[in-house]
């Protein structure tokens, strides 16, 4: 327990399990009948709690250098080098201190508001009377699927442009604030501030839904960011729910802990490809290579996170597992969501996600979140956990 821990700091979890002492007609001895988990915290406190971070080596200190690049800007510190594009207003290249690239060459940071639609997302009256969809859309739109709304609004094909960009310097830190709007449809206004510190990059995001979206979508699939790492960062370590996939409305059986697993085990091969492999209530997540080097994402609040080999649009377009590039090993697609809609499941032929698990884009609502990104030297994470 760190000396700076305050009431509400999580010191561990207590798991209670009820199992059969003897064999019964329906199950053998030792069969788990029920289990649950309780969080142990310091002092009297109420959620949200403070979770422990890996005790990595002391943060790298040193100067933060800023310079120009043909397509924008570059920031160099003793821990990393980051290149920002003025065209996209985001980080498009990131390398560790030894020059090893962390990002795949297709993998700049981008905001993400769409997911590969699940069977439940596709559930709506259009499944039964597809020819009547244009009429239903005008008179009974609430009977149509969530996926129909998302595709009608083009959430999976948004084209972002930079509205403004401003660089500033403060003590031993550079930071830039960018504002994005979307050419394809005026649906969101997004403000992103990148704080370049000696040992890490902190990304603070604020997302506001505009009127066109408020009047056209009952619930968003997700609000978050996505980036693509190089493929050799193929081991995933996280503090969150697991080990199996779980979502906001399907997570009670997934207990909180620190988990480690192969990246390729994260993909769930549903016959009809869709969103998969998600982890709820993630406090931090790291992707490392065989040497233990990589990158850690530290969240200011619990997030829905995933890492896999396939892009969201690839999963959404495929109609069978065979349509995916199953042998791909050269990239890792990371999604970090401040919110993601639940899966539902009361039925799979109607949009019945419970209200508390929806993300309505209401007027005046802004989603704000922050993620810190820190390169990990070889072996440092394993030493820390």
């Amino acid at each position: 327990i760190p000396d700076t821990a305050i009431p509400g700091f999580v010191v561990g979890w207590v798991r209670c399990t009820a199992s059969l002492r003897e064999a019964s007609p329906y199950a053998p001895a030792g069969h788990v009948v029920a289990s649950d988990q309780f969080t142990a915290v310091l002092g009297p406190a109420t959620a949200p709690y403070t979770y422990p971070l890996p005790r990595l080596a002391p943060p790298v200190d040193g100067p933060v250098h800023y310079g120009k690049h043909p397509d924008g800007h570059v920031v160099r510190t003793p821990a990393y080098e980051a290149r920002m594009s003025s065209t996209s207003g985001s980080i498009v290249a990131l390398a560790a201190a030894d020059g090893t690239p962390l990002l795949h060459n297709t993998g700049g940071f981008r905001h993400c508001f769409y997911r590969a639609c699940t069977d439940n997302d596709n559930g709506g009256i259009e499944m039964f009377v597809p020819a009547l969809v244009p009429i239903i859309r005008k008179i009974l739109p609430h009977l149509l699927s969530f996926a129909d709304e998302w595709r009608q609004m083009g959430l999976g094909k948004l084209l972002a442009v930079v509205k403004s960009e401003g660089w500033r310097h403060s003590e031993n830190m550079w930071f830039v604030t960018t504002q994005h709007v979307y050419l394809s449809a005026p649906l969101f206004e997004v403000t992103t501030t990148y704080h370049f510190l000696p040992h890490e990059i902190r990304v603070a995001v604020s997302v506001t839904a505009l009127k066109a979206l408020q009047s056209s979508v009952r619930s968003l699939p997700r609000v978050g960011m996505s980036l693509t790492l190089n493929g050799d960062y193929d081991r995933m370590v996280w503090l969150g729910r697991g080990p199996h996939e779980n979502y906001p409305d399907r997570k009670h059986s997934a207990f909180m802990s620190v988990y480690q697993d192969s990246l390729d085990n994260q993909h769930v091969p549903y016959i009809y490809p869709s969103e998969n492999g998600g982890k709820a209530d993630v406090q931090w997540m790291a992707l490392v290579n065989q040497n233990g080097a990589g990158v850690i994402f530290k969240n200011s609040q619990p997030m829905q996170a995933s890492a896999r080999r396939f892009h969201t649009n690839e999963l959404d377009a495929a109609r069978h597992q065979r349509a995916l590039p199953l042998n791909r090993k050269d990239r890792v697609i990371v999604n970090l969501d401040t919110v993601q809609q639940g899966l539902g499941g009361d039925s799979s032929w109607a949009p019945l996600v419970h209200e508390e698990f929806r993300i309505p884009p209401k007027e005046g609502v802004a989603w704000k979140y922050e993620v810190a990104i820190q390169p990990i030297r070889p072996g440092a994470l394993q030493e820390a956990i």
Side-chain angles (χ1 to χ4, degrees):
I1 302 174
D3 296 335
T4 56
I6 60 175
F9 182 84
V10 173
V11 297
W13 297 271
V14 178
R15 184 179 301 184
C16 299
T17 300
S19 59
L20 294 179
R21 179 180 297 177
E22 299 176 353
S24 72
Y26 72 89
H31 173 75
V32 175
V33 178
S35 62
D36 207 345
Q37 184 186 62
F38 303 90
T39 304
V41 300
L42 283 179
T46 57
Y49 303 128
T50 303
Y51 287 81
L53 289 169
R55 295 185 181 183
L56 299 173
V60 173
D61 199 8
V64 178
H65 296 289
Y66 163 83
K68 291 283 190 178
H69 187 273
D71 183 37
H73 316 265
V74 62
V75 177
R76 296 183 180 90
T77 81
Y80 63 85
E81 177 178 304
R83 181 160 57 85
M84 288 278 298
S85 167
S86 292
T87 303
S88 66
S90 63
I91 295 175
V92 294
L94 180 63
D98 62 359
T100 303
L102 296 170
L103 288 185
H104 190 265
N105 56 20
T106 64
F109 287 47
R110 54 194 177 274
H111 300 291
C112 191
F113 307 103
Y114 186 69
R115 74 181 180 195
C117 294
T118 66
D119 287 346
N120 292 350
D121 293 338
N122 285 312
I125 197 171
E126 68 267 30
M127 298 171 65
F128 307 100
V129 286
L132 298 181
V133 167
I135 298 173
I136 297 170
R137 193 171 284 136
K138 294 179 180 179
I139 60 175
L140 296 169
H142 64 282
L143 298 179
L144 294 167
S145 68
F146 289 115
D148 179 77
E149 290 182 344
W150 302 340
R151 289 168 178 149
Q152 283 293 307
M153 298 305 294
L155 294 183
K157 301 177 181 179
L158 294 177
L159 178 61
V161 294
V162 178
K163 182 179 178 181
S164 64
E165 178 187 72
W167 283 83
R168 289 170 288 173
H169 181 260
S170 176
E171 297 181 352
N172 195 27
M173 174 180 70
W174 279 89
F175 55 101
V176 58
T177 299
T178 62
Q179 281 191 310
H180 285 94
V181 293
Y182 292 87
L183 287 179
S184 48
L187 303 182
F188 299 96
E189 185 167 270
V190 184
T191 301
T192 310
T193 302
Y194 295 88
H195 300 80
F196 296 94
L197 286 78
H199 66 291
E200 67 182 15
I201 303 169
R202 294 177 188 166
V203 187
V205 182
S206 177
V207 178
T208 303
L210 302 181
K211 288 185 177 180
L213 187 69
Q214 296 165 14
S215 61
S216 304
V217 173
R218 287 162 290 177
S219 177
L220 293 170
R222 67 172 7 131
V223 177
M225 67 169 63
S226 179
L227 60 135
T228 306
L229 300 177
N230 277 325
D232 57 345
Y233 300 106
D234 58 1
R235 185 142 194 94
M236 178 171 160
V237 188
W238 74 99
L239 168 54
R241 294 190 179 271
H244 52 272
E245 70 167 346
N246 54 89
Y247 295 88
D249 57 351
R250 294 191 186 182
K251 64 182 184 180
H252 197 69
S253 69
F255 292 144
M256 292 291 294
S257 188
V258 175
Y259 295 97
Q260 302 186 47
D261 200 1
S262 163
L263 175 81
D264 293 315
N265 287 342
Q266 304 310 306
H267 177 65
V268 182
Y270 296 114
I271 294 175
Y272 191 106
S274 66
E275 187 71 28
N276 70 84
K279 305 294 186 293
D281 298 336
V282 172
Q283 309 296 321
W284 57 262
M285 180 176 74
L287 280 304
V288 296
N289 60 19
Q290 292 182 350
N291 298 322
V295 62
I296 185 171
F297 304 94
K298 300 173 288 185
N299 314 321
S300 62
Q301 59 199 45
M303 302 189 81
Q304 181 78 23
S306 66
R308 58 189 178 225
R309 298 290 188 185
F310 312 117
H311 291 282
T312 293
N313 288 341
E314 290 178 317
L315 290 167
D316 199 49
R319 294 297 175 262
H320 194 280
Q321 286 293 313
R322 293 192 301 269
L324 294 172
L326 297 175
N327 294 323
R328 174 187 285 165
K329 300 291 184 181
D330 70 329
R331 67 194 69 180
V332 179
I333 292 85
V334 177
N335 279 97
L336 303 168
D337 301 325
T338 188
V339 286
Q340 186 175 147
Q341 179 176 281
L343 298 181
D346 291 355
S347 80
S348 289
W349 48 86
L352 295 177
V353 174
H354 291 199
E355 290 294 334
E356 63 267 34
F357 301 113
R358 297 188 184 189
I359 312 170
K362 296 180 180 178
E363 183 177 1
V365 173
W367 296 278
K368 297 182 179 182
Y369 63 96
E370 183 175 313
V371 179
I373 301 147
Q374 180 180 350
I376 303 171
R377 64 173 177 79
L381 182 63
Q382 202 61 39
E383 295 171 3
I385 63 174

